[in-house]
Amino acid sequence: MPLLYRFFLTCLFFALAHTTAKAHPHSWIDLETSLIFNDQGHVIGLWQGWLFDDFYSAFTLEGMVPDKNGKYDQKALNSLAETNLKNLSEYSYFTFIHNDGEQAAYQPVQDYKTFVENNRLWMEFSVMLQEPIDPKTHKIDYAVYDPTYYVEILHAATGDPVQLSGKGALGCSYRLKNPEPPKEMSLMAAAMDKSESAGDGIGIYFAQHVEISCP
């Protein structure tokens, strides 16, 4: 069963299960990220903003009636976000921060924010590291992706979707590397339907990677 079935516990994927559409991915997220620095110049976490696609948003919000100002019930939205984050915690929040090539350890996500913007569901949260990392002495890179590639998660094409935040980020820069999947991986993804999974190894080939450089 793809990871996303455990992540998106809504009627959307019960509906999708009865369709005949093929090819991974089956849902899309526009991503924004901001690497968080402390005053000592150490990386301490990664803030993320997820803007879900129209189709997922529409099915998720079905049955929720907005008020006269077009606002949805915040308690219901919060409950959805809490469920999503609880399930995501089993998979490192689809977040892979590397310290010299090794996966960093995270604290459980505590803070989040969610709302609906232009009929699309937005969720933001911060994945905080258990231990700060000095980018001057360690190689830091990160990626946010679904390992099964059931969901495609890419930085938004407009604006400034990657940022470095905090006083300690002064002088640091980043490089965003777009995915260049091998042809055989692209063909495999195109041939898979919603009930199939290539396991946890395919998603990395379709993931963007952000590399950090500090003087």
Side-chain angles (χ1 to χ4, degrees):
M1 179 178 291
L3 296 183
L4 192 62
Y5 276 108
R6 302 190 64 184
F7 169 39
F8 294 117
L9 301 180
T10 70
C11 59
L12 170 60
F13 292 102
F14 290 104
L16 291 182
H18 296 288
T19 68
T20 58
K22 288 183 175 289
H24 279 32
H26 300 289
S27 187
W28 295 263
I29 292 173
D30 290 335
L31 176 69
E32 295 181 20
T33 60
S34 182
L35 200 64
I36 306 169
F37 290 71
N38 62 17
D39 290 348
Q40 288 71 47
H42 297 167
V43 173
I44 59 173
L46 181 68
W47 173 92
Q48 303 179 43
W50 292 19
L51 183 62
F52 295 90
D53 66 70
D54 297 278
F55 195 33
Y56 171 75
S57 298
F59 272 88
T60 301
L61 298 173
E62 186 177 14
M64 296 187 193
V65 181
D67 62 21
K68 61 182 181 181
N69 297 315
K71 301 294 184 181
Y72 288 85
D73 181 69
Q74 192 60 50
K75 184 177 292 187
L77 293 177
N78 289 348
S79 178
L80 174 65
E82 289 168 4
T83 297
N84 286 343
L85 289 168
K86 180 180 179 181
N87 289 313
L88 278 170
S89 67
E90 300 182 39
Y91 308 106
S92 299
Y93 304 100
F94 287 178
T95 302
F96 303 90
I97 304 173
H98 300 112
N99 176 12
D100 292 333
E102 298 292 329
Q103 170 99 7
Y106 311 139
Q107 303 175 30
V109 169
Q110 301 293 331
D111 299 319
Y112 67 88
K113 183 178 181 181
T114 185
F115 54 86
V116 177
E117 181 177 298
N118 297 324
N119 297 317
R120 294 179 67 181
L121 184 64
W122 169 271
M123 181 175 71
E124 63 182 73
F125 58 96
S126 295
V127 176
M128 305 305 293
L129 301 177
Q130 287 189 5
E131 299 290 340
I133 305 173
D134 186 351
K136 295 182 176 65
T137 57
H138 297 272
K139 179 182 178 181
I140 300 176
D141 63 86
Y142 68 85
V144 179
Y145 63 92
D146 172 8
T148 68
Y149 196 47
Y150 200 89
V151 192
E152 182 177 78
I153 307 174
L154 296 176
H155 285 86
T158 59
D160 189 11
V162 180
Q163 298 185 25
L164 307 179
S165 64
K167 294 180 180 179
L170 186 64
C172 295
S173 61
Y174 71 86
R175 181 166 71 114
L176 177 62
K177 297 178 63 178
N178 287 316
E180 296 181 355
K183 183 177 180 179
E184 60 268 24
M185 288 296 174
S186 297
L187 292 174
M188 179 189 298
M192 291 163 54
D193 64 25
K194 293 178 175 63
S195 64
E196 294 180 308
S197 172
D200 293 351
I202 188 172
I204 192 171
Y205 292 99
F206 299 89
Q208 292 176 320
H209 292 261
V210 180
E211 297 179 347
I212 307 303
S213 177
C214 295

